Amino acid sequence: MILPIYIYGQPVLRKESQDIDASYPELKQLIDDMRETLAASEGIGLAAPQIGKDIRLAIIDLDVLAEDFPEYKDFRRVYINPYILEYDDTETESMEEGCLSLPGIHEKVTRPTRIHVKYLDENFQEHDEWVDGYLARVMQHEFDHLNAKMFIDRVSPLRRQLIQNKLRSLLQGRYRCGYRTKAARK
């Protein structure tokens, strides 16, 4: 089932997410719904707060980039209770980011190119690994959602000021996008 994407201003996007275990109700169905929602919205990542759930769950699907990045062919992953344990700040990269919860807003964000992560996959197998490149950026973006952060929190105060009108429009429900949404309360 395609779920609505929660838009900037929804309280759940600013709430710290909670760890879950294998007994979380209908987890497999929720993951399937998140995959279907992500595909319908043409995104590459989706965190549970973006569909109104304050749990530590995110999915990333980089297969859509496989034509330009063959290493991401069939790359579809589920991250349960993910945490970034360490940032390797020796190299950072500035790149434009967007977000399904912030339709129409794109800003350059500087992030480390390498991170140390720990998470459970959808079979509750534990992973502890260093990740680099574009996947590291996407993980940081999605895992930020689980920590009540959004990419706009990582732009300079000047850029943040320059997008205030766009953010206000989102709060007022004035935006257009090609997927189901749940706007902030007016």
Side-chain angles (χ1 to χ4, degrees):
M1 175 172 65
I2 297 172
L3 305 168
I5 304 285
Y6 281 51
I7 301 298
Y8 175 78
Q10 282 283 351
V12 70
L13 295 172
R14 295 303 193 175
K15 187 175 181 188
E16 190 87 17
S17 295
Q18 304 302 308
D19 283 352
I20 60 172
D21 61 29
S23 69
Y24 187 83
E26 299 181 32
L27 180 59
K28 183 182 178 337
Q29 184 61 52
L30 177 61
I31 291 169
D32 289 345
D33 290 348
M34 287 178 71
R35 284 183 172 130
E36 192 175 343
T37 301
L38 183 61
S41 60
E42 298 181 358
I44 57 172
L46 186 65
Q50 293 180 276
I51 55 152
K53 306 276 187 198
D54 64 340
I55 59 173
R56 293 193 73 84
L57 172 64
I59 62 171
I60 295 175
D61 183 344
L62 298 181
D63 184 63
V64 296
L65 306 174
E67 193 171 301
D68 295 324
F69 300 96
E71 65 270 26
Y72 294 133
K73 176 96 174 100
D74 299 323
F75 188 96
R76 295 178 180 93
R77 301 281 191 282
V78 173
Y79 299 92
I80 298 171
N81 303 336
Y83 289 92
I84 298 174
L85 304 176
E86 191 177 347
Y87 296 87
D88 179 351
D89 290 325
T90 55
E91 194 175 322
T92 60
E93 184 176 42
S94 188
M95 186 181 276
E96 191 172 273
E97 291 186 20
C99 180
L100 297 173
S101 293
L102 293 157
I105 298 178
H106 297 85
E107 291 292 327
K108 280 196 176 238
V109 179
T110 301
R111 296 188 187 268
T113 59
R114 187 168 179 260
I115 56 173
H116 181 196
V117 297
K118 181 175 85 170
Y119 62 91
L120 302 171
D121 63 26
E122 64 188 301
N123 299 313
F124 281 83
Q125 297 300 307
E126 188 170 327
H127 297 261
D128 184 326
E129 57 197 29
W130 281 92
V131 179
D132 57 17
Y134 192 68
L135 176 58
R137 171 173 295 277
V138 177
M139 284 179 148
Q140 288 173 77
H141 178 108
E142 297 308 326
F143 299 173
D144 271 357
H145 280 297
L146 306 177
N147 297 320
K149 292 194 180 333
M150 301 180 87
F151 83 88
I152 55 171
D153 301 329
R154 300 198 179 275
V155 300
S156 72
L158 174 61
R159 290 302 311 163
R160 180 79 187 239
Q161 190 62 38
L162 291 171
I163 62 172
Q164 279 306 309
N165 285 340
K166 289 181 180 179
L167 294 173
R168 202 170 298 114
S169 291
L170 292 177
L171 288 172
Q172 295 167 350
R174 294 185 329 214
Y175 59 88
R176 293 170 68 181
C177 58
Y179 46 88
R180 285 183 61 204
T181 63
K182 184 170 173 93
R185 291 173 180 73
K186 294 182 185 179

